[in-house]
DNA sequence: GCTATAATTAATAACCGTTCTTATTTAGGA
DNA sequence: TCCTAAATAAGAACGGTTATTAATTATAGC
């Protein structure tokens, strides 16, 4: 059994066909899909699946640390498997993204954060700009 | 005249009492206020000010680079004057925040980003965790 | 200072991503 | 196979934000 399903079960959740499919779409489909994208993919296999089910399960998957929600500043959350720590470079014009690998951010900020006595659970970092293709001749 | 007002005028916008007041609240009031917080403050001086006016003008101020919107993961945007580059450490339990000063992030990421040929316009970085007071004995 | 006019506002409706409600179905243990 | 708590489908509700519109107002030109 898929290790994501194992972790779902270990969290006390049932393995439903809907949950299998959601994980399948996240593993095999495009990265950075919105809930609606995911729901549309699912409905090709299971026409009756509900958007509410998708949201509810995505939130469960996030709470278990299996999935991450990212904000590309376009008013909707995008979801991806939490398989490797990375961040995104997002084009504000066309929405294309480039992932860049693990940062040493919490390490870098160790001193500052240490002094505050916060117990850190995570961070978000997204870099915005315009991709090569979307840069106007005038440099925008 | 306040340099923020100057920059507003330089952007081709009129100086209205509402805009003066919004900037005043941002300069003198608490940091990280929501649009509703700001509106409530304004209404103490101008009872008829509208929430729509607040949002519209905050977006104008953001587009001019005078204000920044930050996401503390509680479903609403918080606004602050864009007077110094800094980031936040946010307690997921009580919402308290600690600001930490300018990062050298775009510098640090220079190589990666350089290769992508993106033209960078900004980034968001927020660190989440639990503050000293909110950490349970069990370490949460 | 006065006027003309385009920008701005107040009030409120609409929008839209997300969450909640409820009756029905189902996964998984006994 | 049953039982029962968990999960689902359908759709209503929520809430932060944006859009609409008629009335008001800041400001440039006289």
């Amino acid at each position: 059994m898929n290790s994501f399903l194992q972790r779902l079960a270990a969290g006390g959740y049932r393995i439903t066909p809907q949950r299998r499919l959601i994980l399948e779409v996240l593993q095999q489909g495009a990265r950075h899909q919105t809930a609606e994208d995911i729901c549309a993919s699912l409905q090709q296999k299971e026409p009756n699946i509900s958007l509410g089910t998708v949201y509810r399960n995505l939130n469960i998957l996030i709470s278990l640390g299996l999935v991450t929600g990212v904000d590309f500043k376009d008013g909707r959350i995008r979801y991806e498997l939490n398989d490797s720590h990375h961040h995104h470079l997002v084009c504000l014009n066309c929405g294309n993204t480039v992932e860049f690998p693990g940062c040493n951010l919490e390490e870098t900020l160790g001193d500052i954060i240490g002094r505050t006595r916060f117990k850190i659970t995570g961070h978000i970092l997204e870099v915005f700009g315009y991709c090569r293709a979307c840069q106007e001749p005038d440099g925008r």
Side-chain angles (χ1 to χ4, degrees), chain A:
Chain A
M1 175 163 77
N2 185 316
S3 88
F4 287 101
L5 291 175
Q6 278 177 22
R7 291 164 69 189
L8 197 50
Y13 295 98
R14 294 181 176 175
I15 309 300
T16 65
Q18 292 86 344
R19 286 173 181 164
R20 283 180 189 277
L21 285 170
I22 289 170
L23 284 167
E24 230 174 271
V25 166
L26 288 170
Q27 288 178 293
Q28 296 167 15
R31 283 184 87 78
H32 318 137
Q33 298 182 80
T34 65
E36 217 162 350
D37 293 338
I38 294 167
C39 192
S41 294
L42 297 179
Q43 286 177 338
Q44 293 179 359
K45 296 186 181 179
E46 280 290 342
N48 285 343
I49 209 159
S50 151
L51 186 54
T53 297
V54 174
Y55 274 112
R56 183 165 27 75
N57 285 312
L58 285 170
N59 286 338
I60 288 170
L61 293 170
I62 287 174
S63 76
L64 290 174
L66 308 190
V67 166
T68 309
V70 291
D71 175 14
F72 288 174
K73 293 243 181 189
D74 63 350
R76 59 192 70 192
I77 302 172
R78 305 188 176 249
Y79 299 89
E80 59 183 26
L81 280 187
N82 186 20
D83 48 7
S84 71
H85 184 67
H86 64 268
H87 297 290
H88 304 95
L89 195 49
V90 183
C91 178
L92 291 169
N93 187 241
C94 68
N96 275 343
T97 61
V98 176
E99 297 189 357
F100 56 91
C103 64
N104 54 353
L105 201 63
E106 289 177 15
E107 199 176 303
T108 304
L109 299 172
D111 283 351
I112 297 160
I113 289 170
R115 252 176 268 136
T116 66
R117 310 271 189 133
F118 266 60
K119 182 183 174 80
I120 304 304
T121 57
H123 61 261
I124 58 180
L125 166 62
E126 312 295 335
V127 181
F128 297 94
Y130 294 96
C131 72
R132 187 88 196 278
C134 289
Q135 287 171 46
E136 313 285 18
D138 64 6
R140 191 181 299 272

